[in-house]
Amino acid sequence: MNNKNITRKILHFPLTKIIVGISIIVGLFALSKNLLGKIFQTNLLSNDLINLIVNIISSILTIVAYIYLYKYYEKRKITEFSTNGIAKNLSLGILLGAVAQSLTILVIYFAGEYSIVSVNPILYILPALGMAFSSAIFEEILLRGILFRIVEEKLGSYIALFISALIFGLLHLLNPNSSLIAGIGLAIQAGLLLGAAYIYSRNLWFPIAIHFAWNFTQTAIYGANVSGNALSKTLITSRISGSEWFTGGQFGPEGSIQATVFGLLASVFLLFLSHKKGNIVKPYWKTTITS
């Protein structure tokens, strides 16, 4: 075996592709946000509007970088960002994310532990809009586009789903006001749901839309903390009290038991539909035996 073949095998080893992809995407996203923040510094625009513009442009650049990186790295068409059916995937994803979050808040409301303090100007949604937009695209590219997709190619859908969901939960342990229970809940409700959404749709638009709608609805509309982070400006200023397991406490409603249940139910349903569509990938050893 010559050096050229050894180099090629190392470069196309799954772990190498994951490390290269994550390093480039994280580096580009951080660099673009930093540079764009300096470019758009002006007294003509509010800080909220500048942050929104920076988040949108840096997110678009991240998508473009992912497409071109893996187009040439893996020498294939990037179907996970195909525009075929994009309107359907985005609308269904936004609907699913918004409904799931609304049901979570509704449970707290009916228990008498959610109340509206004030309704604020519509422009107060801008900080949450920028945060939800960029985090949905950035995290879905890393967790589903790179990690899940590449692991799934070798180990199959279910093992990849478990690994990506576990890592998703572990990463959120680093967030403010997080806990082991919150991390486990996020791994189940969001890690599984977003992975199942990718399996079902075979594109990233669907999980991106779910992720965006979940975060945006939670913080911009209902005024709750999202993953331990609180925004000073939201459309509704709310007050949430009660048991941490029921409300999520300072981590936010996604740390509640009902959020985990709703996310798990949606995940099971999407996996059921994925089975019917034949979208479940078998691990390489079962494919080898079958062939």
Side-chain angles (χ1 to χ4, degrees), residues 9 62 99 123 160 203 207 216 244 282 285:
K9 282 202 168 190
T62 302
V99 168
L123 289 179
N203 69 73
F216 180 75
E244 189 171 328
K282 296 179 180 179
W285 58 86

Side-chain angles (χ1 to χ4, degrees), residues 43-54:
N43 294 325
L44 300 176
L45 301 173
S46 67
N47 288 333
D48 292 341
L49 188 56
I50 290 174
N51 287 333
L52 177 62
I53 293 171
V54 168

Side-chain angles (χ1 to χ4, degrees), residues 169-221:
L170 288 173
L171 288 174
H172 282 80
L173 290 177
L174 303 174
N175 286 38
N177 303 305
S178 187
S179 66
L180 183 59
I181 293 175
I184 293 172
L186 271 178
I188 295 172
Q189 75 190 238
L192 292 182
L193 175 57
L194 296 169
Y198 177 79
I199 294 171
Y200 171 73
S201 63
R202 285 298 158 192
N203 69 73
L204 288 169
W205 297 120
F206 190 35
I208 283 173
I210 295 172
H211 198 147
F212 165 79
W214 176 275
N215 283 353
F216 180 75
T217 305
Q218 181 173 236
T219 185
I221 307 302

Side-chain angles (χ1 to χ4, degrees), residues 38-251:
K38 294 177 180 177
I39 291 172
F40 283 98
Q41 274 193 356
T42 173
N43 294 325
L44 300 176
L45 301 173
S46 67
N47 288 333
D48 292 341
L49 188 56
I50 290 174
N51 287 333
L52 177 62
I53 293 171
V54 168
N55 277 314
I56 289 175
I57 295 177
S58 59
S59 297
I60 292 172
L61 289 174
T62 302
I63 293 174
V64 172
Y66 173 89
I67 290 173
Y68 278 95
L69 170 63
Y70 284 105
K71 178 182 179 180
Y72 292 104
Y73 194 171
E74 299 177 331
K75 294 181 171 48
R76 65 179 180 88
K77 185 178 179 180
I78 309 301
T79 55
E80 59 267 35
F81 269 121
S82 170
T83 54
N84 292 333
I86 185 174
K88 176 185 175 183
N89 286 309
L90 288 177
S91 58
L92 285 177
I94 289 173
L95 179 63
L96 177 55
V99 168
Q101 182 56 233
S102 295
L103 288 173
T104 300
I105 295 292
L106 197 61
V107 172
I108 303 173
Y109 173 78
F110 281 139
E113 294 173 343
Y114 176 91
S115 58
I116 297 174
V117 176
S118 65
V119 178
N120 304 310
I122 189 67
L123 289 179
Y124 273 42
I125 69 170
L126 290 182
L129 183 61
M131 176 276 296
F133 189 88
S134 63
S135 63
I137 291 175
F138 178 66
E139 290 181 23
E140 290 313 302
I141 284 179
L142 292 184
L143 273 298
R144 259 56 66 174
I146 298 176
L147 179 65
F148 175 85
R149 179 183 61 80
I150 294 174
V151 172
E152 185 192 40
E153 290 174 358
K154 291 294 182 183
L155 303 183
S157 298
Y158 289 121
I159 296 177
L161 190 58
F162 174 78
I163 291 172
S164 61
L166 179 63
I167 292 176
F168 188 81
L170 288 173
L171 288 174
H172 282 80
L173 290 177
L174 303 174
N175 286 38
N177 303 305
S178 187
S179 66
L180 183 59
I181 293 175
I184 293 172
L186 271 178
I188 295 172
Q189 75 190 238
L192 292 182
L193 175 57
L194 296 169
Y198 177 79
I199 294 171
Y200 171 73
S201 63
R202 285 298 158 192
N203 69 73
L204 288 169
W205 297 120
F206 190 35
I208 283 173
I210 295 172
H211 198 147
F212 165 79
W214 176 275
N215 283 353
F216 180 75
T217 305
Q218 181 173 236
T219 185
I221 307 302
Y222 296 119
N225 290 0
V226 56
S227 298
N229 296 293
L231 293 179
S232 59
K233 293 182 179 179
T234 56
L235 184 62
I236 290 175
T237 300
S238 63
R239 181 180 293 112
I240 300 175
S241 58
S243 302
E244 189 171 328
W245 67 271
F246 188 70
T247 65
Q250 292 301 308
F251 188 75

Side-chain angles (χ1 to χ4, degrees), residues 250-273:
Q250 292 301 308
F251 188 75
E254 60 198 320
S256 66
I257 184 65
Q258 67 270 23
T260 300
V261 171
F262 292 141
L264 182 58
L265 290 174
S267 302
V268 171
F269 182 64
L270 286 175
L271 288 174
F272 170 74
L273 294 179

